[in-house]
Amino acid sequence: MLFQNLSPSPALSITQFFDIDAFRPAEFVADARSVPLNLANFHTARAIVQLPFCQVAVLTSFPRIVDVSYRAAHGVVMFQLEDRHEVSVNGMSVNRPAFISMRGNVDLQFVEPRGSLHAIITLGAGLQDREWFDTPDELCPFTPDADALATVRSVTTGILQAASARPELLQEPRSALAFQESLLLAIDEMFRRSRPPELAGRLASRGYCRLVRMIDDYVAFHAASAIYSADLADQCGVSVRTLGTAVASVRGMSLHRYLRLKQLWSARAQLVKGSDAITVTSCARANGFYHMGEFARLYRATFHETASGTLARARGTD
């Protein structure tokens, strides 16, 4: 509902995407890589307001697995604007309201089964340290006080609404600083009244994230080969059970489904290029599929179209 009540203005940029392939370039700019879990009724949108020393971005996402690399020298704070808690971050399940903070270079692995509406506050060099970030280059999740979180949400949406309806307020320096100060004070209180998660859970998630990165590297290097869980576990130096637990924790699905999803998206990425040198069969085999009937069934179930249909659309011949 938030985006339905906003209009672009000189103080508010809004970008909407109704096609995953149109969304990809914007995602690459943010150094993110998504694997959608459902392409039906695809839609994502992003709104951005620039305050004097920080940026407020609000995004509506879609069901997906996403890896994103943040390079935030002065810090980032992220929180959901709606109570959709089915999200995991670096293997840590978020089953209640939460927010995360980080400063420096941090790699995040999200699973969003239903998508969410969330805000990203990126701090600039002009702000004094407000002691929000304890350890650089490390994700810090928190469980906030409900009232403090509600205040931050209200202030954030109020800034977007003002930027839409009264852009001159955000373009006048003193007024813009007042909006920024209200937001910073609300986040101050949210940090003050929050509590971090258990340390053991954070340490376990680090190991699982490392294993998933090893899986991703292995799949990319052996794209055209059949991948067997025992060989993969041996390569990672763990048991198949541990590997399965890591994938379930970080990616929210079984090891088998995850490997198949990676290979299917790799195949689709080649098909959408529409090269005359590509055929459906060669593309399937280049991504580890040697049973064309299985490839066709999985492709259609995942993308709601045939592989030949994707290729024809990419070539403009459908």
Side-chain angles (χ1 to χ4, degrees):
M1 286 295 294
L2 177 62
F3 279 87
Q4 295 177 11
N5 298 322
L6 298 176
S7 299
S9 78
L12 176 67
S13 68
I14 298 178
T15 309
Q16 303 207 41
F17 301 94
F18 296 91
D19 180 86
I20 182 63
D21 299 313
F23 171 67
R24 289 294 190 201
E27 183 176 50
F28 294 152
V29 169
D31 201 7
R33 301 154 300 281
S34 291
V35 177
L37 299 175
N38 186 352
L39 283 180
N41 301 315
F42 179 89
H43 174 246
T44 184
R46 178 184 60 208
I48 296 177
V49 175
Q50 187 64 52
L51 295 175
F53 301 113
C54 70
Q55 181 189 82
V56 178
V58 172
L59 301 94
T60 176
S61 63
F62 48 91
R64 62 178 176 167
I65 296 169
V66 58
D67 293 344
V68 58
S69 298
Y70 279 101
R71 304 293 178 256
H74 307 288
V76 170
V77 178
M78 301 176 61
F79 51 91
Q80 290 185 330
L81 287 171
E82 297 176 342
D83 287 337
R84 289 193 171 190
H85 313 137
E86 292 182 70
V87 178
S88 76
V89 186
N90 284 12
M92 289 177 283
S93 177
V94 179
N95 55 14
R96 56 182 179 273
F99 72 97
I100 60 177
S101 69
M102 65 203 110
R103 180 180 61 190
N105 301 331
V106 183
D107 294 328
L108 299 184
Q109 298 171 315
F110 287 92
V111 179
E112 299 181 81
R114 293 194 300 160
S116 65
L117 180 67
H118 56 276
I120 303 175
I121 314 298
T122 304
L123 306 186
L127 286 179
Q128 292 184 336
D129 183 11
R130 302 178 81 93
E131 299 183 348
W132 292 349
F133 314 103
D134 294 329
T135 307
D137 304 328
E138 183 175 320
L139 171 69
C140 299
F142 296 88
T143 300
D145 172 82
D147 290 340
L149 176 60
T151 299
V152 171
R153 288 172 168 174
S154 176
V155 171
T156 301
T157 56
I159 289 172
L160 266 69
Q161 289 163 352
S164 177
R166 299 284 306 279
E168 69 277 6
L169 294 178
L170 276 297
Q171 295 176 306
E172 198 283 312
R174 286 183 295 182
S175 176
L177 281 170
F179 277 106
Q180 177 179 277
E181 184 63 12
S182 296
L183 177 62
L184 296 176
L185 288 172
I187 296 176
D188 278 337
E189 185 67 5
M190 185 168 67
F191 270 98
R192 189 183 72 81
R193 297 168 64 177
S194 68
R195 55 187 175 84
E198 294 296 327
L199 179 60
R202 293 172 63 183
L203 293 176
S205 72
R206 288 184 202 167
Y208 289 159
C209 289
R210 179 183 60 83
L211 286 174
V212 170
R213 283 192 292 270
M214 292 175 70
I215 293 170
D216 290 346
D217 291 343
Y218 185 90
V219 172
F221 190 75
H222 299 85
S225 303
I227 297 175
Y228 300 101
S229 57
D231 295 338
L232 188 56
D234 185 62
Q235 183 69 26
C236 295
V238 297
S239 68
V240 174
R241 180 177 179 180
T242 297
L243 210 59
T245 301
V247 172
S249 174
V250 176
R251 298 305 201 194
M253 63 183 65
S254 70
L255 174 61
H256 176 74
R257 184 186 172 201
Y258 181 60
L259 293 175
R260 276 294 185 239
L261 196 59
K262 291 281 289 185
Q263 291 170 315
L264 284 166
W265 272 101
S266 178
R268 186 181 184 278
Q270 294 175 24
L271 289 170
V272 296
K273 293 177 181 178
S275 169
D276 290 337
I278 289 176
T279 67
V280 170
T281 299
S282 67
C283 192
R285 289 178 175 170
N287 290 280
F289 292 97
Y290 291 90
H291 190 296
M292 293 306 298
E294 179 191 30
F295 175 72
R297 178 181 61 80
L298 291 172
Y299 194 97
R300 189 179 189 101
T302 302
F303 304 123
H304 307 289
E305 67 178 357
T306 64
S308 59
T310 300
L311 184 57
R313 182 164 50 81
R315 291 173 175 168
T317 59
D318 60 345

